[in-house]
Amino acid sequence: MEQKELKDVLSAVAEGKITTDEALTKIKLAPFDDISIANIDTHRGIRQGVSEVIYGGGKSPEQINIIGHRLWENGQGTILITRMSEEAAEYFVKDIPFTYFKEAKVGLIGEKIKPKHDGYILVATGGTSDIPVAEEAALTAEILGSKVERVYDVGVAGIHRLLSRMELIMNARVIIAIAGMEGALASVIGGLADCPVIAVPTSIGYGSAFGGVTALLSMLNSCASGVSVVNIDNGFGAGYLAGMINNMETKYE
Amino acid sequence: MEQKELKDVLSAVAEGKITTDEALTKIKLAPFDDISIANIDTHRGIRQGVSEVIYGGGKSPEQINIIGHRLWENGQGTILITRMSEEAAEYFVKDIPFTYFKEAKVGLIGEKIKPKHDGYILVATGGTSDIPVAEEAALTAEILGSKVERVYDVGVAGIHRLLSRMELIMNARVIIAIAGMEGALASVIGGLADCPVIAVPTSIGYGSAFGGVTALLSMLNSCASGVSVVNIDNGFGAGYLAGMINNMETKYE
Amino acid sequence: MEQKELKDVLSAVAEGKITTDEALTKIKLAPFDDISIANIDTHRGIRQGVSEVIYGGGKSPEQINIIGHRLWENGQGTILITRMSEEAAEYFVKDIPFTYFKEAKVGLIGEKIKPKHDGYILVATGGTSDIPVAEEAALTAEILGSKVERVYDVGVAGIHRLLSRMELIMNARVIIAIAGMEGALASVIGGLADCPVIAVPTSIGYGSAFGGVTALLSMLNSCASGVSVVNIDNGFGAGYLAGMINNMETKYE
Amino acid sequence: MEQKELKDVLSAVAEGKITTDEALTKIKLAPFDDISIANIDTHRGIRQGVSEVIYGGGKSPEQINIIGHRLWENGQGTILITRMSEEAAEYFVKDIPFTYFKEAKVGLIGEKIKPKHDGYILVATGGTSDIPVAEEAALTAEILGSKVERVYDVGVAGIHRLLSRMELIMNARVIIAIAGMEGALASVIGGLADCPVIAVPTSIGYGSAFGGVTALLSMLNSCASGVSVVNIDNGFGAGYLAGMINNMETKYE
Amino acid sequence: MEQKELKDVLSAVAEGKITTDEALTKIKLAPFDDISIANIDTHRGIRQGVSEVIYGGGKSPEQINIIGHRLWENGQGTILITRMSEEAAEYFVKDIPFTYFKEAKVGLIGEKIKPKHDGYILVATGGTSDIPVAEEAALTAEILGSKVERVYDVGVAGIHRLLSRMELIMNARVIIAIAGMEGALASVIGGLADCPVIAVPTSIGYGSAFGGVTALLSMLNSCASGVSVVNIDNGFGAGYLAGMINNMETKYE
Amino acid sequence: MEQKELKDVLSAVAEGKITTDEALTKIKLAPFDDISIANIDTHRGIRQGVSEVIYGGGKSPEQINIIGHRLWENGQGTILITRMSEEAAEYFVKDIPFTYFKEAKVGLIGEKIKPKHDGYILVATGGTSDIPVAEEAALTAEILGSKVERVYDVGVAGIHRLLSRMELIMNARVIIAIAGMEGALASVIGGLADCPVIAVPTSIGYGSAFGGVTALLSMLNSCASGVSVVNIDNGFGAGYLAGMINNMETKYE
Amino acid sequence: MEQKELKDVLSAVAEGKITTDEALTKIKLAPFDDISIANIDTHRGIRQGVSEVIYGGGKSPEQINIIGHRLWENGQGTILITRMSEEAAEYFVKDIPFTYFKEAKVGLIGEKIKPKHDGYILVATGGTSDIPVAEEAALTAEILGSKVERVYDVGVAGIHRLLSRMELIMNARVIIAIAGMEGALASVIGGLADCPVIAVPTSIGYGSAFGGVTALLSMLNSCASGVSVVNIDNGFGAGYLAGMINNMETKYE
Amino acid sequence: MEQKELKDVLSAVAEGKITTDEALTKIKLAPFDDISIANIDTHRGIRQGVSEVIYGGGKSPEQINIIGHRLWENGQGTILITRMSEEAAEYFVKDIPFTYFKEAKVGLIGEKIKPKHDGYILVATGGTSDIPVAEEAALTAEILGSKVERVYDVGVAGIHRLLSRMELIMNARVIIAIAGMEGALASVIGGLADCPVIAVPTSIGYGSAFGGVTALLSMLNSCASGVSVVNIDNGFGAGYLAGMINNMETKYE
């Protein structure tokens, strides 16, 4: 409840337009409404009526189907579903626009949000096994309104492959560096690039890769500046954050 | 070496203006110059001749003094020194403009870069013990050209203190959330805010806080979107990255 | 063997009503009875003939069936079975009153103990995936004689959901805070509430959630006072302890 | 802000007793006041004007002295200072009633709160090295208004020492079990007692005791019901929680 | 090669009974023969021709069958097979005396070695889930020639069950204490008993039991003297060592 | 309380020799008296009046001096003090027979117990840095009545040094194998010897030796039978256990 | 691009033999060509047209078939496929020379490279369960052109088995020591041998073997000089490195 | 004892030149001599009378002085002392040729062994803080007879610095890659180079660098072939192994 609205309510009471009880009800609902509706909720997805995210992880095909349809009916034009199993995708009733991206386990109800500018997010992986995580990141960013470029399998063991994509790296607005094993890709890209780098460790590797812990630690200790890290295999988190950074409004300039 | 410059050199050779050997020398230096000077180095600090960072951690007072003076003489107008001990600050020869921020262990040669806009980075801490890390982050961002707001000691155990700063949180362009112990601050702020949140675990706490590991793990597992993490106590890294995001050019709009 | 009973036996001997040998037999059985029945065993469940707990974890459907029936025949009016598989529930011979709570994997022979007062235990979860653990806790407490209120899916990433249940939180006698991932719920509730908070980490999450270890560490390091922690996914332990606290006799006042 | 108070403000506006602006100010401050003053703050310590806790850990002798005096002047009759160094105790200006408990590193301004009943908290330790933690727990509970009994050095390696205190154990309202090394004391007491047991692992031990981690894990895995755990060496946390449980009002009976 | 044998070879050379080359071959093979045949091999099992152990863990039913029969044919009267699957037991060709102990996954070819004295090894477990490991230990000891007493499910959460077996504990020559979860049984027994205690952590428990690591650490940190530890679930190792201690010859008295 | 004693009490009541109340007191105290006095205490050290152990670790020079003298006055002929600092040894009032072993940090009041037979315990170390732990083990065993042989610095990196002591190894009754770094000594000796091997990991090593954890894990996973492990640097524990095994009575033969 | 080549291009421009644009294209491609083609790629496998390695781990049978055939058609005479499932081997179209080594999960297209000399790599294992890893190492080395000797199941628990192969050990040019459990084999061989030892921890063992971590740590802490370590179960890595060392050219002598 | 020597002894017996007893004594000493002198010891350092290594770590200045002088007197021409403190270097009696390398904490008695060829070992570090470890490695290799090239501070965060040393990398016979923090240097060099790479993690870094563990794990998981790893900060081990590889005799060609 904005200060002005509150003032209006109070004026209405002072002027006898509404009763004290009516005012009471309005104001009582305000404190958390104020926080939740006007402020907090807007931050989830990017503004009401535009996009929404369903975390498909622990949900049944039935649940995803129901929630997805309900959100669509509420007027959400772009609904992203992460960690959606093939089974859930098959179960989904296709009476509304629906696309399924199998490798990324991502579902989309409606359409990708159109990017506002040509600046792109670069999604890079160390190996081919990292691609499912990369696609989750790339699709998340694309669906939420960013242009994305992909360079896959450019791990540091063959650094020339990475260097040959120098131009793409140097011109990106945000880079998502995804790697398992020793995760050195994030450090090398962090040392080359001039923009924020979001590092995503993957659970790829064996033995002392410890399901992604080695890559995670490696990325946290990157000697390059401008690198931050999200959880193991968290492609969605990286794509979401990259999109947020890429689409920052520059209201102050 | 930009394509145009190379073409100029080649034309000069073709036109006999410079000898083959002179061209050779120019071009031989290019490959890594190309990478390093034009591209890579620009990312370190924000463009040559403007700012530079000295990591004071493993360096002696003498070394810091020499490097600092040399950079200044090379025309760097803003030189940030991190992890600078009081001893090193005292030793530093003050024949050039120098300021020392004791709590943050940060030194500044020259002047802070003037912010280009009024958008601010919010630096928040869970407790008062996190303040040295917070000041390192805040000063790094300020020196490299961002406006910074500070809200300290707003840990989740007294959530009303945090909620009472709602306006500052909702209007920030980037937030740095700094906390030790269980590090829940990052999740709560991540759930409230609408902008990128950089989480910094600190080594504050005892017993099973494990020198910041608990806070680090907690932050990596934040259930809020838009949160990424840097290394334990890495105030500089957070401030640098936040500044980078805050000052992103919007060349594409 | 209560002190009074022992005194009765001794009096009977003194009065020649029973022989020394008869007394011997009665007392010989006593020492551990003394310890176990009068003292120790009473603490398991809440007093003999009233309730008993069967840990169904490592037991076969056959074993659970036999033990359950035997306890019932011994006059236990309320028998709680934890970690009871659906298979075991189906196998259970229903010739005695039996209820199965599928989500919580809890079985009940007989009836819930009637609460002695209206004070309630609040069971709160961070997400919907934590509900099975929460139901184990809630049903344990209910069956052993406490009133329970549930608030599920109030994780700190959307703190307004939690704050909107403020009244329930402020009026609880004991709170069980259940969360996976970063487990911040315990700290936030601990900071809001005025009563003992029992934190239960769950194995929900992926990557560096490490099967509940991150939530566990986070909860142990809660900066709020009045919070203690039980093992990962230990809904029963939390419910049992909460019931114990909720039903403390105030014999001294 | 209670519903009634809000109604009064609205009535005052309706009746023209206060202006719209005056009402605006009152109500604007309410949302968080509502949460913080009436609800949250009361939970810290046990009700305003009665007791307050200063965490002396990261604070200088000067800071502790100032805060302590200010709280006293504000009318707090009982102020507990934890982790107070001897140096800080010496520095403290004794113009107000002050007591220092050296072994526990606990300071007390004013007087211990008088217990409301004769029920006691039992503080037990496995060894003599655990006593400083035990004293922190015991004094915290005593200062905040509970009667405390101490049984020290009753570790399980000499179980008869523990068993010989059976009566004290069986009659306690809450038990704090403190142990380092393998931390088995909590399990054994949990198996004997009939009341809530708060287990405190200590950093006592060497080699694979890992600074209290072994005791912590051991306690979390206690096979006895009714046991919960706080952080390593967290005597204050245990004492505070035990006091809270011991003094639960039984308003519902 | 015993000194006498070597002397014989040398004498044979001196006397011209064997050639220098024949002697060379004999002596060249000696160094390791000397070590291996006369000394080392005798230690495996308890003396050749008496007993032998087959570690069935990574072996196929076919391999176990062949090795078992071959050893029997070589005159081994007692052959113990550990970690033998039911499948392998069924596959085993029963044309030689063979017994299979299903719970312990132990197979026996031939007969148990007859104990030389009445002193017994006590095998104790904390819970019923520890019994398979306990049976592996007990059968190993019995088969290799020791008398064994079993007391199962005497965990410390109900210490009276353990205390009621005091006589068995006090009179044992060696005790094997087997427990999962917090593993406190080893400490309590170590504190009660007057003989060597071999602690076996089991992988029983969940959450922070970490597959036996908590019990292992707890046992290593036992505050009782006379306790040593073997690997998680290593019933065989404990039974073997206990048998070795129980059957020590007292040649020196 | 033996059955006979109980019968006597009952008869006394029947005969009116003692009152019912007197009998009640006698019987009520019995259960734990029975356990603690008659049984448990005898196990500490090796029978009262013979030897006693003071763990000097957390005790002040004053405390050690007092306890040592008191035990001596109570007729203990052999008192072992472990982890006794040089300072404590100097402080100790030498009006009673006292010897200090500096390298082992072991103090002895009175005399070593005379061995009952010639069988010896072999104490072996991998390196020279392990010697302090080895001496603690060796002196503990010697003081408590065993003959000890020492072979130091026979680490597996120079296996011939170990093999050259084959005879000592093959004839030992118990072996204590002490090593840091990778701790392989225990496995190699376990593979050579025919007697119980007690492995003691030491905190010697750097980097990934992790203060003895690597050696500890290595020893727990020894592929040789007959090996058990005690805590890191726990020379006393190994010496005590070895002495217990070496001096086992063979009452049954 | 070598300096001479660059000079030639420049001269050609100066002499008007090529246009400025043609020169531009040549030079622009040079920097990374220079690095990647001439230098980097040669290192993969041992020189183009000779051998190539396909990591079969995350690849489908179809992918392996296609890549294998394509490489063969490109003239690679020796193509090693690691981690190739039986399924993939069956699927592989045998119209080109193909051999499958089932135990090692290694495929070979074409022929093993003929060794250049008789020096051999010794592959040793602690147990029979380590053989699959050993065969991966041995076949990798053989296929890439080295002679290999195998000594399997020579673990340190029966050191005579190892010592009896002394001659093979002393004459090897490189040794690969493979072991699980406590991994002591690497230390013992490192102490015996006079050549580089590559240690490979395996995931063999249970309980505190932690899937190879114990062996890994043990090997990293080997007290013998000349030992280095590769990842758990990384037979290929060890075989590749051993082959590289064994075939070092001695161009300088 | 070489085969020929043994034959001589036997012939002498056969010819009656020495008695059987004299032969016995000679041969009895042989077995371990055989192993130790002829075989094992030669591997320590590089052949008797040439070089020897003293691990100065746990030794006093006095001990180092004595051992150093004794070895010199025995005719060792090159004696390397590692981990030698400045204090020990000052204490060392300079009556024999002695050089101290302060940064590496390496002492040298006598002279460096002259390299046999011009092939060099490249020692590379990620940062300047890694230099002490690098110098330990470099000096070890130089003293034991290898030519060494150094490239320091070429961490992957500024990859152009590394690439500008391409020629040195491509022509090395062995590379020692030394780095702390995320240790990515080993992977990048492993991907560029064509020779064995020995990776040395250093304890440089803070927070989640965990004293070198992150670098260690990262290096073990290097996706490049030809990389193996030694313990944290183990410059000596790397230098020793590199020298061994660099000086391999090619007797078979």
Side-chain angles (χ1 to χ4, degrees), chain H residues 47-116:
Chain H
R47 225 158 289 282
Q48 288 280 356
V50 178
S51 75
E52 188 70 44
V53 181
I54 301 171
Y55 183 78
K59 302 202 176 64
S60 67
E62 293 78 5
Q63 289 176 310
I64 293 175
N65 186 50
I66 291 170
I67 301 174
H69 279 78
R70 192 158 309 163
L71 285 172
W72 176 258
E73 284 150 20
N74 286 354
Q76 311 286 335
T78 304
I79 299 153
L80 167 65
I81 309 167
T82 65
R83 309 265 155 139
M84 187 185 204
S85 65
E86 280 187 68
E87 188 201 348
E90 271 164 34
Y91 180 93
F92 197 84
V93 181
K94 277 88 179 178
D95 52 359
I96 56 175
F98 173 79
T99 321
Y100 182 63
F101 302 88
K102 186 172 156 185
E103 188 156 38
K105 290 197 189 327
V106 159
L108 166 63
I109 305 175
E111 308 228 325
K112 294 182 183 178
I113 297 175
K114 216 179 124 68
K116 297 191 207 137

Side-chain angles (χ1 to χ4, degrees), chain E residues 98-185:
Chain E
F98 173 80
T99 321
Y100 182 64
F101 302 88
K102 188 172 155 183
E103 189 157 37
K105 290 197 190 326
V106 158
L108 166 63
I109 305 174
E111 308 227 325
K112 294 183 184 178
I113 297 174
K114 218 180 122 70
K116 298 192 207 137
H117 60 74
D118 275 352
Y120 62 87
I121 294 164
L122 180 69
V123 178
T125 74
T128 53
S129 313
D130 303 316
I131 292 178
V133 174
E135 280 300 310
E136 190 186 81
L139 283 162
T140 295
E142 286 180 340
I143 288 171
L144 299 179
S146 284
K147 210 183 138 191
V148 170
E149 295 286 339
R150 291 156 169 89
V151 279
Y152 291 167
D153 195 20
V154 291
V156 301
I159 199 116
H160 61 295
R161 290 177 299 177
L162 183 65
L163 297 180
S164 70
R165 313 308 286 273
M166 205 59 158
E167 206 168 299
L168 264 180
I169 292 171
M170 296 309 301
N171 291 322
R173 277 173 64 82
V174 188
I175 299 178
I176 299 175
I178 301 172
M181 300 173 82
E182 94 283 53
L185 185 68

